[in-house]
Amino acid sequence: MAHQALGEDLVLPSELQDDSSSLGSDSELSGASPYRQADRYGFIGGNSAELGPGQPPADLIRQREMKWVEMTSHWEKTMSRRYKKVKIQCRKGIPSALRARCWPLLSGAQMCQKNNPGIYQELAVAPGDPQWMETIGRDLHRQFPLHEMFVSPQGHGQQGLLEVLKAYTLYRPEQGYCQAQGPVAAVLLMHLPPEEAFWCLVQICEVYLPGYYGPHMEAVQLDAEVFMAFVRRLLPRVYKHLQQVGVGPLLYLPEWFLCLFTRSLPFPTVLRIWDAFLSEGAKVLFRVGLTLMRLALGTVEQRTACPGLLETLGALRAIPPTQLQEEAFMSQVHSVALSERDLQREIRIQLAQLPKSSPGPVPLPQARLPGAQAIFESQQLAGVRGSTKPEIPRIVVEPPEEPRPPRRKPQTRGKTFHGLLTRARGPPIEGPSRSHRGSASFLDTRF
């Protein structure tokens, strides 16, 4: 295969390359059936799942599902003590039957929904901005037109998509609507009810990829420079070729990153990417992009066949489907030598090199959280702060006391301290004889 002849620039001997088995993942659970009108994902005439290996025994599939059921049943304990296990299981692929349960937990959307009761219902029934409603309406039929959910304009798929996208424009009017939100929201609606899909969309737009879907898309431009820096470091020959033919990252990267690869890769592979992305954050997108670069332009023959800009862009879109099959592809993705520390360091470097006169707001990479663990810890901290409310001082008004007669000052002139006490307190208390006392009393002490 072509990827075996590629360089070893991207290979990382990671301790987390435990991806030898993904029982219960998407292509393995798919049974080829020429008589079905839609595949197991709902695509009419789809064959995206027929490239995978055969279906494993049902008991093995059930075993993996039970692992996820156990982890999600004690989610706080799992995320606090066993996140590495969650990370590895996400890399292997979340079972299809449990994505609706796992995605809101990983992304923190379930907590957002819990903390904002009734918000989505208010947004769903509120009238939307006419400008955004018209734009969203024009894009509805473009979102997975061959999927049975989105075939009919009056079907629940398109109507739910309209409702979710409208709700986001009302929730964040300063952000509005971005066309790339359409396919992202559509994939969420394939797995989740509209309210849960909405909160997952909010988390993706504001926590995983802040600055991506706003009017200026400032974070996309920054990440494009970061991506090219990694191409230059890890795939120097590919980088040189891209420079020679004039292919800049903004010609292909927005479609990849903004749409989370929903328009670029087979659907089973897209779901596996989302599993890892919701677990580990934006670094997964960079690893996927670098893997696609290597598969498309990693050999001398591939680069020679692309003498110009159009041919190079075409090669990025024409990777053989056999090389994009979920299991083999994701194994390569997770072996890319790019860590979260590498990503943060390169972001700081590229942010410092941005021209001061750049139009639009300055990117804020610190607003991006690197995956499920950081989101969980952030929400736990916010919960602790919210539960420790400052005590409000109370003002107690009591009725005034009745005036008391002034006390007479005792006459002490010429009198001893002992005598004063005996007169003020009454007759002295008889005590045991001096022979039975352990020590002299205070009043009998001579100074």
Side-chain angles (χ1 to χ4, degrees):
M1 293 176 63
H3 69 272
Q4 294 177 341
L6 304 180
E8 297 179 355
D9 305 281
L10 294 178
V11 176
L12 171 66
S14 171
E15 73 280 5
L16 285 171
Q17 289 187 32
D18 182 15
D19 204 16
S20 58
S21 171
S22 79
L23 302 177
S25 62
D26 301 289
S27 66
E28 292 176 291
L29 291 175
S30 306
S33 176
Y35 304 103
R36 295 175 62 185
Q37 294 184 347
D39 64 11
R40 67 185 305 272
Y41 304 103
F43 289 95
I44 299 173
N47 60 356
S48 59
E50 295 179 359
L51 295 172
Q55 182 174 343
D59 58 338
L60 295 180
I61 300 174
R62 209 62 65 219
Q63 182 180 0
R64 296 199 65 242
E65 291 177 345
M66 290 306 297
K67 284 184 180 180
W68 276 103
V69 169
E70 190 273 333
M71 289 191 299
T72 55
S73 298
H74 309 88
W75 188 245
E76 290 190 6
K77 178 180 178 181
T78 300
M79 290 298 294
S80 300
R81 304 179 184 179
R82 303 167 62 193
Y83 171 69
K84 186 174 181 180
K85 180 178 179 180
V86 174
K87 181 178 179 179
I88 292 175
Q89 293 299 320
C90 285
R91 288 189 173 194
K92 292 181 178 181
I94 301 173
S96 297
L98 291 173
R99 282 197 173 98
R101 183 171 182 170
C102 297
W103 282 1
L105 286 171
L106 288 168
S107 64
Q110 187 177 88
M111 184 63 68
C112 290
Q113 181 177 344
K114 179 182 177 182
N115 294 338
N116 296 276
I119 295 295
Y120 178 76
Q121 286 74 15
E122 296 176 7
L123 298 173
V125 299
D129 187 317
Q131 174 189 357
W132 293 127
M133 294 299 290
E134 180 184 357
T135 306
I136 294 171
R138 288 198 304 263
D139 290 342
L140 289 178
H141 70 282
R142 299 171 182 159
Q143 314 306 334
F144 302 102
L146 296 180
H147 193 280
E148 57 186 1
M149 257 186 83
F150 303 102
V151 170
S152 172
Q154 303 304 321
H156 71 283
Q158 288 198 28
Q159 292 303 308
L161 185 58
L162 175 64
E163 182 179 286
V164 169
L165 295 175
K166 179 203 73 173
Y168 187 80
T169 63
L170 296 174
Y171 185 71
R172 290 288 183 260
E174 71 281 1
Q175 299 290 321
Y177 165 69
C178 175
Q179 283 185 325
Q181 290 173 320
V184 174
V187 173
L188 292 171
L189 283 170
M190 292 178 194
H191 297 82
L192 303 166
E195 184 175 6
E196 294 182 19
F198 168 77
W199 290 112
C200 282
L201 179 66
V202 168
Q203 289 296 93
I204 290 173
C205 295
E206 300 183 1
V207 178
Y208 285 90
L209 300 173
Y212 263 50
Y213 301 97
H216 300 283
M217 302 172 69
E218 63 276 4
V220 179
Q221 301 178 46
L222 174 62
D223 282 351
E225 298 301 324
V226 173
F227 182 78
M228 286 308 294
F230 284 119
V231 174
R232 180 172 62 248
R233 182 186 310 170
L234 300 176
L235 299 169
R237 295 180 181 86
V238 175
Y239 175 81
K240 182 178 179 180
H241 174 79
L242 294 174
Q243 295 296 102
Q244 290 175 345
V245 299
V247 175
L250 293 179
L251 294 177
Y252 54 87
L253 201 71
E255 182 180 3
W256 287 356
F257 282 22
L258 281 165
C259 299
L260 301 181
F261 297 96
T262 56
R263 298 201 174 279
S264 309
L265 297 174
F267 198 68
T269 306
V270 170
L271 295 179
R272 288 287 298 274
I273 291 172
W274 279 45
D275 294 341
F277 167 70
L278 294 176
S279 169
E280 302 179 50
K283 73 177 180 185
V284 174
L285 305 184
F286 286 86
R287 288 177 170 179
V288 173
L290 290 167
T291 303
L292 291 176
M293 279 289 178
R294 189 183 67 172
L295 292 175
L297 301 169
T299 65
V300 176
E301 294 77 14
Q302 288 172 322
R303 294 191 293 271
T304 304
C306 301
L309 182 145
L310 294 179
E311 294 85 355
T312 301
L313 292 176
L316 292 175
R317 297 187 177 98
I319 300 174
T322 53
Q323 297 186 29
L324 301 176
Q325 192 274 328
E326 52 168 321
E327 192 63 38
F329 182 79
M330 293 307 296
S331 178
Q332 296 179 65
V333 167
H334 296 312
S335 67
V336 173
L338 191 159
S339 66
E340 184 64 34
R341 182 179 299 178
D342 297 332
L343 179 59
Q344 295 303 324
R345 179 170 56 247
E346 194 59 46
I347 286 176
R348 290 192 295 268
I349 293 173
Q350 296 301 324
L351 190 61
Q353 295 178 0
L354 285 179
K356 302 299 181 182
S357 59
S358 305
V362 178
L364 299 174
Q366 64 270 20
R368 176 191 293 171
L369 295 182
Q373 187 177 33
I375 293 173
F376 173 79
E377 293 173 352
S378 173
Q379 290 182 337
Q380 291 290 305
L381 181 61
V384 170
R385 290 174 176 173
S387 63
T388 56
K389 297 180 180 179
E391 183 178 354
I392 301 175
R394 294 190 310 155
I395 300 177
V396 180
V397 179
E398 296 181 352
E401 297 181 355
E402 296 182 1
R404 297 179 180 180
R407 294 177 56 184
R408 294 180 58 185
K409 184 177 180 181
Q411 298 294 328
T412 60
R413 180 177 299 179
K415 297 182 174 62
T416 63
F417 185 58
H418 180 273
L420 175 63
L421 287 177
T422 56
R423 280 191 294 271
R425 297 182 180 180
I429 301 174
E430 293 295 334
S433 62
R434 201 175 282 272
S435 60
H436 294 88
R437 294 179 184 174
S439 61
S441 67
F442 172 78
L443 297 180
D444 292 331
T445 303
R446 298 293 188 268
F447 292 99

